[in-house]
Amino acid sequence: MDIILLNTAAQPIYEQIRKQIAEQIVNGQLSVGEQLPSIRELAKELKISVITTKRAYKELENEGFIDTVPGKGTFVSILDKEALLKQKQEGIKQQIKQMVEESKKADITLEQLIMLISQYYEED
């Protein structure tokens, strides 16, 4: 499991952890049933507070990405792929909404925005 934290990012550390683990689960980098590091192990590895990792795991558990089994550990949940896809699409919609709002503030036209998006889309 690879997690890269940026202290300069606008997102809180727990949210960066939550997002990266969720993405790895959705993308199949973390398999169903795979055990995650304990809260303490992850905190030590990332050199952050146990409280921060605990919050990230709690958010992931509330969203259905992971399950915690007392005395055994934390595991990747069996996920409904359609629900995950819908969740991912909602996240993309929010990002688009933000991008459109920022574009309007910068006087970027819809056509210019579409051109910018298509450039990045074609790179992949």
Side-chain angles (χ1 to χ4, degrees):
M1 181 169 69
D2 295 322
I3 296 176
I4 299 169
L5 300 177
L6 301 172
N7 291 329
T8 58
Q11 286 181 319
I13 299 293
Y14 81 90
E15 182 62 26
Q16 292 179 51
I17 295 167
R18 187 210 61 78
K19 183 179 178 187
Q20 289 180 50
I21 292 174
E23 285 176 357
Q24 290 178 37
I25 292 169
V26 170
N27 295 335
Q29 292 169 299
L30 293 172
S31 307
V32 170
E34 186 173 337
Q35 187 169 9
L36 300 180
S38 72
I39 290 170
R40 292 184 202 290
E41 287 172 0
L42 186 59
K44 185 177 178 182
E45 180 182 322
L46 297 175
K47 297 181 174 107
I48 58 172
S49 166
V50 170
I51 295 168
T52 303
T53 55
K54 184 175 182 177
R55 183 163 181 192
Y57 273 28
K58 186 71 175 163
E59 298 262 334
L60 288 163
E61 193 164 16
N62 290 341
E63 294 171 357
F65 285 103
I66 62 173
D67 293 313
T68 301
V69 180
K72 295 199 178 197
T74 304
F75 303 87
V76 176
S77 294
I78 297 172
L79 301 169
D80 177 1
K81 293 290 184 181
E82 283 187 38
L84 281 177
L85 182 58
K86 187 174 182 177
Q87 186 176 20
K88 195 166 193 163
Q89 289 172 344
E90 286 302 316
I92 291 169
K93 284 180 187 178
Q94 290 301 316
Q95 290 175 342
I96 290 171
K97 182 179 176 183
Q98 278 184 300
M99 189 172 31
V100 168
E101 289 171 1
E102 291 298 316
S103 297
K104 286 179 181 179
K105 290 177 189 175
D107 292 325
I108 296 174
T109 66
L110 178 59
E111 292 78 19
Q112 291 171 323
L113 183 58
I114 291 170
M115 287 285 289
L116 288 169
I117 292 169
S118 65
Q119 288 173 355
Y120 286 106
Y121 195 79
E122 290 172 5
E123 285 180 4
D124 292 340

PDB file of all heavy atoms in Angstrom, residues 42-81:
ATOM      1  N   LEU A  42       0.467   2.038  10.582  1.00  0.00           N
ATOM      2  CA  LEU A  42       0.388   3.044   9.528  1.00  0.00           C
ATOM      3  C   LEU A  42       0.849   4.406  10.046  1.00  0.00           C
ATOM      4  O   LEU A  42       1.578   5.118   9.350  1.00  0.00           O
ATOM      5  CB  LEU A  42      -1.035   3.129   8.958  1.00  0.00           C
ATOM      6  CG  LEU A  42      -1.213   4.053   7.759  1.00  0.00           C
ATOM      7  CD1 LEU A  42      -0.325   3.623   6.592  1.00  0.00           C
ATOM      8  CD2 LEU A  42      -2.669   4.099   7.331  1.00  0.00           C
ATOM      9  N   ALA A  43       0.439   4.753  11.254  1.00  0.00           N
ATOM     10  CA  ALA A  43       0.864   6.025  11.847  1.00  0.00           C
ATOM     11  C   ALA A  43       2.385   6.082  11.968  1.00  0.00           C
ATOM     12  O   ALA A  43       3.004   7.094  11.641  1.00  0.00           O
ATOM     13  CB  ALA A  43       0.208   6.209  13.206  1.00  0.00           C
ATOM     14  N   LYS A  44       2.976   4.976  12.416  1.00  0.00           N
ATOM     15  CA  LYS A  44       4.433   4.926  12.559  1.00  0.00           C
ATOM     16  C   LYS A  44       5.121   5.041  11.201  1.00  0.00           C
ATOM     17  O   LYS A  44       6.088   5.779  11.038  1.00  0.00           O
ATOM     18  CB  LYS A  44       4.830   3.617  13.252  1.00  0.00           C
ATOM     19  CG  LYS A  44       6.293   3.509  13.568  1.00  0.00           C
ATOM     20  CD  LYS A  44       6.606   2.220  14.313  1.00  0.00           C
ATOM     21  CE  LYS A  44       8.091   2.104  14.592  1.00  0.00           C
ATOM     22  NZ  LYS A  44       8.422   0.854  15.277  1.00  0.00           N
ATOM     23  N   GLU A  45       4.588   4.302  10.221  1.00  0.00           N
ATOM     24  CA  GLU A  45       5.177   4.316   8.878  1.00  0.00           C
ATOM     25  C   GLU A  45       5.116   5.708   8.245  1.00  0.00           C
ATOM     26  O   GLU A  45       6.064   6.148   7.597  1.00  0.00           O
ATOM     27  CB  GLU A  45       4.423   3.304   7.997  1.00  0.00           C
ATOM     28  CG  GLU A  45       4.928   3.200   6.586  1.00  0.00           C
ATOM     29  CD  GLU A  45       4.107   2.220   5.759  1.00  0.00           C
ATOM     30  OE1 GLU A  45       3.701   1.172   6.306  1.00  0.00           O
ATOM     31  OE2 GLU A  45       3.857   2.519   4.581  1.00  0.00           O
ATOM     32  N   LEU A  46       3.981   6.395   8.435  1.00  0.00           N
ATOM     33  CA  LEU A  46       3.793   7.713   7.829  1.00  0.00           C
ATOM     34  C   LEU A  46       4.312   8.847   8.714  1.00  0.00           C
ATOM     35  O   LEU A  46       4.290  10.006   8.299  1.00  0.00           O
ATOM     36  CB  LEU A  46       2.310   7.939   7.523  1.00  0.00           C
ATOM     37  CG  LEU A  46       1.679   6.986   6.511  1.00  0.00           C
ATOM     38  CD1 LEU A  46       0.190   7.251   6.391  1.00  0.00           C
ATOM     39  CD2 LEU A  46       2.359   7.096   5.155  1.00  0.00           C
ATOM     40  N   LYS A  47       4.740   8.493   9.937  1.00  0.00           N
ATOM     41  CA  LYS A  47       5.252   9.475  10.900  1.00  0.00           C
ATOM     42  C   LYS A  47       4.204  10.542  11.214  1.00  0.00           C
ATOM     43  O   LYS A  47       4.474  11.749  11.152  1.00  0.00           O
ATOM     44  CB  LYS A  47       6.544  10.108  10.390  1.00  0.00           C
ATOM     45  CG  LYS A  47       7.660   9.099  10.236  1.00  0.00           C
ATOM     46  CD  LYS A  47       8.933   9.751   9.744  1.00  0.00           C
ATOM     47  CE  LYS A  47      10.043   8.746   9.752  1.00  0.00           C
ATOM     48  NZ  LYS A  47      10.495   8.254   8.534  1.00  0.00           N
ATOM     49  N   ILE A  48       2.988  10.050  11.528  1.00  0.00           N
ATOM     50  CA  ILE A  48       1.893  10.942  11.884  1.00  0.00           C
ATOM     51  C   ILE A  48       1.206  10.411  13.144  1.00  0.00           C
ATOM     52  O   ILE A  48       1.534   9.333  13.632  1.00  0.00           O
ATOM     53  CB  ILE A  48       0.860  11.064  10.735  1.00  0.00           C
ATOM     54  CG1 ILE A  48       0.288   9.692  10.375  1.00  0.00           C
ATOM     55  CG2 ILE A  48       1.479  11.744   9.525  1.00  0.00           C
ATOM     56  CD1 ILE A  48      -0.867   9.740   9.406  1.00  0.00           C
ATOM     57  N   SER A  49       0.242  11.152  13.611  1.00  0.00           N
ATOM     58  CA  SER A  49      -0.491  10.786  14.822  1.00  0.00           C
ATOM     59  C   SER A  49      -1.395   9.574  14.595  1.00  0.00           C
ATOM     60  O   SER A  49      -1.981   9.408  13.520  1.00  0.00           O
ATOM     61  CB  SER A  49      -1.350  11.985  15.253  1.00  0.00           C
ATOM     62  OG  SER A  49      -2.310  11.605  16.197  1.00  0.00           O
ATOM     63  N   VAL A  50      -1.531   8.757  15.626  1.00  0.00           N
ATOM     64  CA  VAL A  50      -2.452   7.621  15.591  1.00  0.00           C
ATOM     65  C   VAL A  50      -3.884   8.123  15.404  1.00  0.00           C
ATOM     66  O   VAL A  50      -4.686   7.500  14.713  1.00  0.00           O
ATOM     67  CB  VAL A  50      -2.326   6.784  16.892  1.00  0.00           C
ATOM     68  CG1 VAL A  50      -3.424   5.750  17.002  1.00  0.00           C
ATOM     69  CG2 VAL A  50      -0.964   6.119  16.957  1.00  0.00           C
ATOM     70  N   ILE A  51      -4.186   9.270  15.981  1.00  0.00           N
ATOM     71  CA  ILE A  51      -5.528   9.857  15.865  1.00  0.00           C
ATOM     72  C   ILE A  51      -5.859  10.141  14.400  1.00  0.00           C
ATOM     73  O   ILE A  51      -6.980   9.924  13.950  1.00  0.00           O
ATOM     74  CB  ILE A  51      -5.631  11.140  16.716  1.00  0.00           C
ATOM     75  CG1 ILE A  51      -5.483  10.791  18.188  1.00  0.00           C
ATOM     76  CG2 ILE A  51      -6.934  11.882  16.454  1.00  0.00           C
ATOM     77  CD1 ILE A  51      -5.277  11.980  19.101  1.00  0.00           C
ATOM     78  N   THR A  52      -4.882  10.599  13.647  1.00  0.00           N
ATOM     79  CA  THR A  52      -5.081  10.907  12.230  1.00  0.00           C
ATOM     80  C   THR A  52      -5.385   9.643  11.435  1.00  0.00           C
ATOM     81  O   THR A  52      -6.331   9.623  10.633  1.00  0.00           O
ATOM     82  CB  THR A  52      -3.834  11.607  11.651  1.00  0.00           C
ATOM     83  OG1 THR A  52      -3.586  12.794  12.427  1.00  0.00           O
ATOM     84  CG2 THR A  52      -4.024  11.980  10.196  1.00  0.00           C
ATOM     85  N   THR A  53      -4.614   8.588  11.655  1.00  0.00           N
ATOM     86  CA  THR A  53      -4.873   7.346  10.923  1.00  0.00           C
ATOM     87  C   THR A  53      -6.189   6.724  11.363  1.00  0.00           C
ATOM     88  O   THR A  53      -6.923   6.170  10.541  1.00  0.00           O
ATOM     89  CB  THR A  53      -3.725   6.327  11.102  1.00  0.00           C
ATOM     90  OG1 THR A  53      -3.509   6.104  12.484  1.00  0.00           O
ATOM     91  CG2 THR A  53      -2.456   6.806  10.445  1.00  0.00           C
ATOM     92  N   LYS A  54      -6.511   6.853  12.631  1.00  0.00           N
ATOM     93  CA  LYS A  54      -7.776   6.320  13.142  1.00  0.00           C
ATOM     94  C   LYS A  54      -8.953   7.002  12.454  1.00  0.00           C
ATOM     95  O   LYS A  54      -9.920   6.349  12.069  1.00  0.00           O
ATOM     96  CB  LYS A  54      -7.862   6.516  14.655  1.00  0.00           C
ATOM     97  CG  LYS A  54      -9.084   5.907  15.282  1.00  0.00           C
ATOM     98  CD  LYS A  54      -9.052   6.028  16.791  1.00  0.00           C
ATOM     99  CE  LYS A  54     -10.277   5.350  17.387  1.00  0.00           C
ATOM    100  NZ  LYS A  54     -10.259   5.383  18.843  1.00  0.00           N
ATOM    101  N   ARG A  55      -8.857   8.308  12.269  1.00  0.00           N
ATOM    102  CA  ARG A  55      -9.936   9.042  11.596  1.00  0.00           C
ATOM    103  C   ARG A  55     -10.070   8.613  10.136  1.00  0.00           C
ATOM    104  O   ARG A  55     -11.174   8.430   9.632  1.00  0.00           O
ATOM    105  CB  ARG A  55      -9.693  10.542  11.690  1.00  0.00           C
ATOM    106  CG  ARG A  55     -10.827  11.333  11.066  1.00  0.00           C
ATOM    107  CD  ARG A  55     -10.835  12.755  11.471  1.00  0.00           C
ATOM    108  NE  ARG A  55     -11.977  13.434  10.854  1.00  0.00           N
ATOM    109  CZ  ARG A  55     -12.125  14.727  10.833  1.00  0.00           C
ATOM    110  NH1 ARG A  55     -11.242  15.508  11.422  1.00  0.00           N
ATOM    111  NH2 ARG A  55     -13.164  15.269  10.245  1.00  0.00           N
ATOM    112  N   ALA A  56      -8.947   8.436   9.455  1.00  0.00           N
ATOM    113  CA  ALA A  56      -8.986   7.989   8.055  1.00  0.00           C
ATOM    114  C   ALA A  56      -9.641   6.618   7.956  1.00  0.00           C
ATOM    115  O   ALA A  56     -10.506   6.394   7.098  1.00  0.00           O
ATOM    116  CB  ALA A  56      -7.577   7.947   7.476  1.00  0.00           C
ATOM    117  N   TYR A  57      -9.256   5.689   8.827  1.00  0.00           N
ATOM    118  CA  TYR A  57      -9.837   4.344   8.812  1.00  0.00           C
ATOM    119  C   TYR A  57     -11.326   4.398   9.138  1.00  0.00           C
ATOM    120  O   TYR A  57     -12.128   3.677   8.543  1.00  0.00           O
ATOM    121  CB  TYR A  57      -9.099   3.431   9.798  1.00  0.00           C
ATOM    122  CG  TYR A  57      -7.871   2.741   9.231  1.00  0.00           C
ATOM    123  CD1 TYR A  57      -7.123   3.296   8.206  1.00  0.00           C
ATOM    124  CD2 TYR A  57      -7.448   1.526   9.745  1.00  0.00           C
ATOM    125  CE1 TYR A  57      -5.989   2.660   7.706  1.00  0.00           C
ATOM    126  CE2 TYR A  57      -6.319   0.877   9.254  1.00  0.00           C
ATOM    127  CZ  TYR A  57      -5.599   1.452   8.228  1.00  0.00           C
ATOM    128  OH  TYR A  57      -4.488   0.811   7.737  1.00  0.00           O
ATOM    129  N   LYS A  58     -11.714   5.252  10.085  1.00  0.00           N
ATOM    130  CA  LYS A  58     -13.124   5.376  10.463  1.00  0.00           C
ATOM    131  C   LYS A  58     -13.955   5.864   9.278  1.00  0.00           C
ATOM    132  O   LYS A  58     -15.042   5.346   9.011  1.00  0.00           O
ATOM    133  CB  LYS A  58     -13.262   6.332  11.649  1.00  0.00           C
ATOM    134  CG  LYS A  58     -14.636   6.407  12.205  1.00  0.00           C
ATOM    135  CD  LYS A  58     -14.961   5.119  12.924  1.00  0.00           C
ATOM    136  CE  LYS A  58     -16.308   5.209  13.603  1.00  0.00           C
ATOM    137  NZ  LYS A  58     -16.811   3.890  13.953  1.00  0.00           N
ATOM    138  N   GLU A  59     -13.434   6.849   8.550  1.00  0.00           N
ATOM    139  CA  GLU A  59     -14.125   7.364   7.356  1.00  0.00           C
ATOM    140  C   GLU A  59     -14.269   6.258   6.307  1.00  0.00           C
ATOM    141  O   GLU A  59     -15.325   6.094   5.709  1.00  0.00           O
ATOM    142  CB  GLU A  59     -13.358   8.549   6.765  1.00  0.00           C
ATOM    143  CG  GLU A  59     -13.247   9.731   7.686  1.00  0.00           C
ATOM    144  CD  GLU A  59     -14.275  10.812   7.422  1.00  0.00           C
ATOM    145  OE1 GLU A  59     -14.751  10.913   6.298  1.00  0.00           O
ATOM    146  OE2 GLU A  59     -14.588  11.539   8.382  1.00  0.00           O
ATOM    147  N   LEU A  60     -13.193   5.511   6.084  1.00  0.00           N
ATOM    148  CA  LEU A  60     -13.231   4.419   5.107  1.00  0.00           C
ATOM    149  C   LEU A  60     -14.236   3.349   5.517  1.00  0.00           C
ATOM    150  O   LEU A  60     -14.951   2.792   4.670  1.00  0.00           O
ATOM    151  CB  LEU A  60     -11.840   3.803   4.942  1.00  0.00           C
ATOM    152  CG  LEU A  60     -10.824   4.656   4.187  1.00  0.00           C
ATOM    153  CD1 LEU A  60      -9.414   4.163   4.448  1.00  0.00           C
ATOM    154  CD2 LEU A  60     -11.135   4.656   2.701  1.00  0.00           C
ATOM    155  N   GLU A  61     -14.297   3.081   6.809  1.00  0.00           N
ATOM    156  CA  GLU A  61     -15.248   2.086   7.305  1.00  0.00           C
ATOM    157  C   GLU A  61     -16.685   2.586   7.129  1.00  0.00           C
ATOM    158  O   GLU A  61     -17.560   1.840   6.694  1.00  0.00           O
ATOM    159  CB  GLU A  61     -14.960   1.766   8.768  1.00  0.00           C
ATOM    160  CG  GLU A  61     -15.676   0.549   9.265  1.00  0.00           C
ATOM    161  CD  GLU A  61     -15.103   0.011  10.566  1.00  0.00           C
ATOM    162  OE1 GLU A  61     -14.353   0.736  11.262  1.00  0.00           O
ATOM    163  OE2 GLU A  61     -15.420  -1.143  10.895  1.00  0.00           O
ATOM    164  N   ASN A  62     -16.922   3.861   7.430  1.00  0.00           N
ATOM    165  CA  ASN A  62     -18.256   4.443   7.263  1.00  0.00           C
ATOM    166  C   ASN A  62     -18.703   4.426   5.802  1.00  0.00           C
ATOM    167  O   ASN A  62     -19.895   4.321   5.521  1.00  0.00           O
ATOM    168  CB  ASN A  62     -18.290   5.876   7.798  1.00  0.00           C
ATOM    169  CG  ASN A  62     -18.198   5.946   9.299  1.00  0.00           C
ATOM    170  OD1 ASN A  62     -18.451   4.968   9.999  1.00  0.00           O
ATOM    171  ND2 ASN A  62     -17.813   7.105   9.822  1.00  0.00           N
ATOM    172  N   GLU A  63     -17.749   4.541   4.884  1.00  0.00           N
ATOM    173  CA  GLU A  63     -18.055   4.530   3.451  1.00  0.00           C
ATOM    174  C   GLU A  63     -18.141   3.117   2.890  1.00  0.00           C
ATOM    175  O   GLU A  63     -18.438   2.931   1.720  1.00  0.00           O
ATOM    176  CB  GLU A  63     -16.996   5.330   2.690  1.00  0.00           C
ATOM    177  CG  GLU A  63     -17.020   6.810   3.018  1.00  0.00           C
ATOM    178  CD  GLU A  63     -15.845   7.568   2.425  1.00  0.00           C
ATOM    179  OE1 GLU A  63     -14.957   6.958   1.804  1.00  0.00           O
ATOM    180  OE2 GLU A  63     -15.817   8.798   2.597  1.00  0.00           O
ATOM    181  N   GLY A  64     -17.828   2.123   3.710  1.00  0.00           N
ATOM    182  CA  GLY A  64     -17.946   0.736   3.278  1.00  0.00           C
ATOM    183  C   GLY A  64     -16.735   0.170   2.559  1.00  0.00           C
ATOM    184  O   GLY A  64     -16.803  -0.911   1.984  1.00  0.00           O
ATOM    185  N   PHE A  65     -15.612   0.881   2.606  1.00  0.00           N
ATOM    186  CA  PHE A  65     -14.411   0.400   1.927  1.00  0.00           C
ATOM    187  C   PHE A  65     -13.667  -0.657   2.734  1.00  0.00           C
ATOM    188  O   PHE A  65     -13.023  -1.529   2.166  1.00  0.00           O
ATOM    189  CB  PHE A  65     -13.450   1.558   1.625  1.00  0.00           C
ATOM    190  CG  PHE A  65     -13.885   2.424   0.483  1.00  0.00           C
ATOM    191  CD1 PHE A  65     -14.466   3.656   0.718  1.00  0.00           C
ATOM    192  CD2 PHE A  65     -13.717   2.011  -0.823  1.00  0.00           C
ATOM    193  CE1 PHE A  65     -14.858   4.461  -0.333  1.00  0.00           C
ATOM    194  CE2 PHE A  65     -14.107   2.804  -1.881  1.00  0.00           C
ATOM    195  CZ  PHE A  65     -14.688   4.037  -1.633  1.00  0.00           C
ATOM    196  N   ILE A  66     -13.722  -0.536   4.054  1.00  0.00           N
ATOM    197  CA  ILE A  66     -12.983  -1.464   4.908  1.00  0.00           C
ATOM    198  C   ILE A  66     -13.862  -1.955   6.053  1.00  0.00           C
ATOM    199  O   ILE A  66     -14.866  -1.325   6.384  1.00  0.00           O
ATOM    200  CB  ILE A  66     -11.689  -0.822   5.483  1.00  0.00           C
ATOM    201  CG1 ILE A  66     -12.012   0.383   6.377  1.00  0.00           C
ATOM    202  CG2 ILE A  66     -10.724  -0.454   4.363  1.00  0.00           C
ATOM    203  CD1 ILE A  66     -10.805   0.965   7.103  1.00  0.00           C
ATOM    204  N   ASP A  67     -13.460  -3.075   6.632  1.00  0.00           N
ATOM    205  CA  ASP A  67     -14.111  -3.632   7.811  1.00  0.00           C
ATOM    206  C   ASP A  67     -13.041  -3.882   8.860  1.00  0.00           C
ATOM    207  O   ASP A  67     -11.957  -4.372   8.540  1.00  0.00           O
ATOM    208  CB  ASP A  67     -14.794  -4.970   7.492  1.00  0.00           C
ATOM    209  CG  ASP A  67     -15.968  -4.806   6.551  1.00  0.00           C
ATOM    210  OD1 ASP A  67     -16.798  -3.907   6.792  1.00  0.00           O
ATOM    211  OD2 ASP A  67     -16.051  -5.582   5.576  1.00  0.00           O
ATOM    212  N   THR A  68     -13.364  -3.571  10.105  1.00  0.00           N
ATOM    213  CA  THR A  68     -12.451  -3.848  11.203  1.00  0.00           C
ATOM    214  C   THR A  68     -13.006  -4.998  12.020  1.00  0.00           C
ATOM    215  O   THR A  68     -14.164  -4.974  12.431  1.00  0.00           O
ATOM    216  CB  THR A  68     -12.266  -2.604  12.092  1.00  0.00           C
ATOM    217  OG1 THR A  68     -11.749  -1.545  11.280  1.00  0.00           O
ATOM    218  CG2 THR A  68     -11.299  -2.867  13.227  1.00  0.00           C
ATOM    219  N   VAL A  69     -12.193  -6.004  12.211  1.00  0.00           N
ATOM    220  CA  VAL A  69     -12.565  -7.169  13.007  1.00  0.00           C
ATOM    221  C   VAL A  69     -11.756  -7.099  14.302  1.00  0.00           C
ATOM    222  O   VAL A  69     -10.523  -7.225  14.252  1.00  0.00           O
ATOM    223  CB  VAL A  69     -12.267  -8.489  12.251  1.00  0.00           C
ATOM    224  CG1 VAL A  69     -12.659  -9.679  13.090  1.00  0.00           C
ATOM    225  CG2 VAL A  69     -12.955  -8.510  10.892  1.00  0.00           C
ATOM    226  N   PRO A  70     -12.436  -6.860  15.434  1.00  0.00           N
ATOM    227  CA  PRO A  70     -11.701  -6.736  16.694  1.00  0.00           C
ATOM    228  C   PRO A  70     -10.792  -7.950  16.955  1.00  0.00           C
ATOM    229  O   PRO A  70     -11.211  -9.089  16.812  1.00  0.00           O
ATOM    230  CB  PRO A  70     -12.815  -6.653  17.754  1.00  0.00           C
ATOM    231  CG  PRO A  70     -14.004  -6.124  16.998  1.00  0.00           C
ATOM    232  CD  PRO A  70     -13.876  -6.698  15.622  1.00  0.00           C
ATOM    233  N   GLY A  71      -9.558  -7.650  17.284  1.00  0.00           N
ATOM    234  CA  GLY A  71      -8.590  -8.698  17.596  1.00  0.00           C
ATOM    235  C   GLY A  71      -7.929  -9.314  16.374  1.00  0.00           C
ATOM    236  O   GLY A  71      -6.987 -10.091  16.506  1.00  0.00           O
ATOM    237  N   LYS A  72      -8.425  -9.005  15.181  1.00  0.00           N
ATOM    238  CA  LYS A  72      -7.850  -9.595  13.967  1.00  0.00           C
ATOM    239  C   LYS A  72      -7.241  -8.555  13.031  1.00  0.00           C
ATOM    240  O   LYS A  72      -6.254  -8.815  12.374  1.00  0.00           O
ATOM    241  CB  LYS A  72      -8.907 -10.404  13.222  1.00  0.00           C
ATOM    242  CG  LYS A  72      -9.362 -11.603  14.021  1.00  0.00           C
ATOM    243  CD  LYS A  72     -10.027 -12.605  13.161  1.00  0.00           C
ATOM    244  CE  LYS A  72     -10.398 -13.802  14.031  1.00  0.00           C
ATOM    245  NZ  LYS A  72     -10.684 -14.969  13.284  1.00  0.00           N
ATOM    246  N   GLY A  73      -7.878  -7.389  12.917  1.00  0.00           N
ATOM    247  CA  GLY A  73      -7.324  -6.360  12.057  1.00  0.00           C
ATOM    248  C   GLY A  73      -8.365  -5.689  11.176  1.00  0.00           C
ATOM    249  O   GLY A  73      -9.565  -5.857  11.360  1.00  0.00           O
ATOM    250  N   THR A  74      -7.857  -4.943  10.215  1.00  0.00           N
ATOM    251  CA  THR A  74      -8.686  -4.193   9.281  1.00  0.00           C
ATOM    252  C   THR A  74      -8.477  -4.761   7.892  1.00  0.00           C
ATOM    253  O   THR A  74      -7.343  -4.976   7.457  1.00  0.00           O
ATOM    254  CB  THR A  74      -8.307  -2.703   9.323  1.00  0.00           C
ATOM    255  OG1 THR A  74      -8.432  -2.240  10.672  1.00  0.00           O
ATOM    256  CG2 THR A  74      -9.205  -1.874   8.425  1.00  0.00           C
ATOM    257  N   PHE A  75      -9.597  -4.992   7.184  1.00  0.00           N
ATOM    258  CA  PHE A  75      -9.563  -5.661   5.894  1.00  0.00           C
ATOM    259  C   PHE A  75     -10.364  -4.892   4.847  1.00  0.00           C
ATOM    260  O   PHE A  75     -11.329  -4.205   5.187  1.00  0.00           O
ATOM    261  CB  PHE A  75     -10.144  -7.076   6.025  1.00  0.00           C
ATOM    262  CG  PHE A  75      -9.432  -7.914   7.041  1.00  0.00           C
ATOM    263  CD1 PHE A  75      -9.802  -7.872   8.383  1.00  0.00           C
ATOM    264  CD2 PHE A  75      -8.370  -8.722   6.670  1.00  0.00           C
ATOM    265  CE1 PHE A  75      -9.136  -8.635   9.335  1.00  0.00           C
ATOM    266  CE2 PHE A  75      -7.700  -9.486   7.613  1.00  0.00           C
ATOM    267  CZ  PHE A  75      -8.080  -9.442   8.946  1.00  0.00           C
ATOM    268  N   VAL A  76      -9.961  -5.050   3.582  1.00  0.00           N
ATOM    269  CA  VAL A  76     -10.713  -4.465   2.476  1.00  0.00           C
ATOM    270  C   VAL A  76     -12.054  -5.189   2.386  1.00  0.00           C
ATOM    271  O   VAL A  76     -12.109  -6.415   2.397  1.00  0.00           O
ATOM    272  CB  VAL A  76      -9.939  -4.592   1.140  1.00  0.00           C
ATOM    273  CG1 VAL A  76     -10.769  -4.078  -0.024  1.00  0.00           C
ATOM    274  CG2 VAL A  76      -8.601  -3.856   1.221  1.00  0.00           C
ATOM    275  N   SER A  77     -13.129  -4.409   2.315  1.00  0.00           N
ATOM    276  CA  SER A  77     -14.485  -4.965   2.276  1.00  0.00           C
ATOM    277  C   SER A  77     -14.819  -5.546   0.914  1.00  0.00           C
ATOM    278  O   SER A  77     -14.215  -5.188  -0.100  1.00  0.00           O
ATOM    279  CB  SER A  77     -15.523  -3.874   2.562  1.00  0.00           C
ATOM    280  OG  SER A  77     -15.414  -3.402   3.857  1.00  0.00           O
ATOM    281  N   ILE A  78     -15.822  -6.414   0.918  1.00  0.00           N
ATOM    282  CA  ILE A  78     -16.408  -6.877  -0.334  1.00  0.00           C
ATOM    283  C   ILE A  78     -17.280  -5.729  -0.814  1.00  0.00           C
ATOM    284  O   ILE A  78     -18.190  -5.297  -0.104  1.00  0.00           O
ATOM    285  CB  ILE A  78     -17.239  -8.160  -0.121  1.00  0.00           C
ATOM    286  CG1 ILE A  78     -16.326  -9.281   0.350  1.00  0.00           C
ATOM    287  CG2 ILE A  78     -17.988  -8.535  -1.382  1.00  0.00           C
ATOM    288  CD1 ILE A  78     -17.058 -10.538   0.773  1.00  0.00           C
ATOM    289  N   LEU A  79     -16.968  -5.212  -1.977  1.00  0.00           N
ATOM    290  CA  LEU A  79     -17.620  -3.991  -2.435  1.00  0.00           C
ATOM    291  C   LEU A  79     -18.578  -4.225  -3.590  1.00  0.00           C
ATOM    292  O   LEU A  79     -18.356  -5.092  -4.432  1.00  0.00           O
ATOM    293  CB  LEU A  79     -16.553  -2.985  -2.871  1.00  0.00           C
ATOM    294  CG  LEU A  79     -15.551  -2.595  -1.798  1.00  0.00           C
ATOM    295  CD1 LEU A  79     -14.414  -1.812  -2.410  1.00  0.00           C
ATOM    296  CD2 LEU A  79     -16.227  -1.773  -0.726  1.00  0.00           C
ATOM    297  N   ASP A  80     -19.603  -3.408  -3.605  1.00  0.00           N
ATOM    298  CA  ASP A  80     -20.534  -3.380  -4.724  1.00  0.00           C
ATOM    299  C   ASP A  80     -19.915  -2.474  -5.790  1.00  0.00           C
ATOM    300  O   ASP A  80     -19.826  -1.252  -5.610  1.00  0.00           O
ATOM    301  CB  ASP A  80     -21.873  -2.829  -4.244  1.00  0.00           C
ATOM    302  CG  ASP A  80     -22.893  -2.688  -5.355  1.00  0.00           C
ATOM    303  OD1 ASP A  80     -22.591  -3.038  -6.510  1.00  0.00           O
ATOM    304  OD2 ASP A  80     -24.008  -2.225  -5.046  1.00  0.00           O
ATOM    305  N   LYS A  81     -19.470  -3.073  -6.898  1.00  0.00           N
ATOM    306  CA  LYS A  81     -18.756  -2.313  -7.935  1.00  0.00           C
ATOM    307  C   LYS A  81     -19.608  -1.180  -8.504  1.00  0.00           C
ATOM    308  O   LYS A  81     -19.097  -0.111  -8.794  1.00  0.00           O
ATOM    309  CB  LYS A  81     -18.301  -3.248  -9.072  1.00  0.00           C
ATOM    310  CG  LYS A  81     -17.252  -4.243  -8.667  1.00  0.00           C
ATOM    311  CD  LYS A  81     -15.932  -3.573  -8.392  1.00  0.00           C
ATOM    312  CE  LYS A  81     -14.873  -4.597  -8.083  1.00  0.00           C
ATOM    313  NZ  LYS A  81     -13.595  -4.016  -7.785  1.00  0.00           N
TER     314      LYS A  81
END
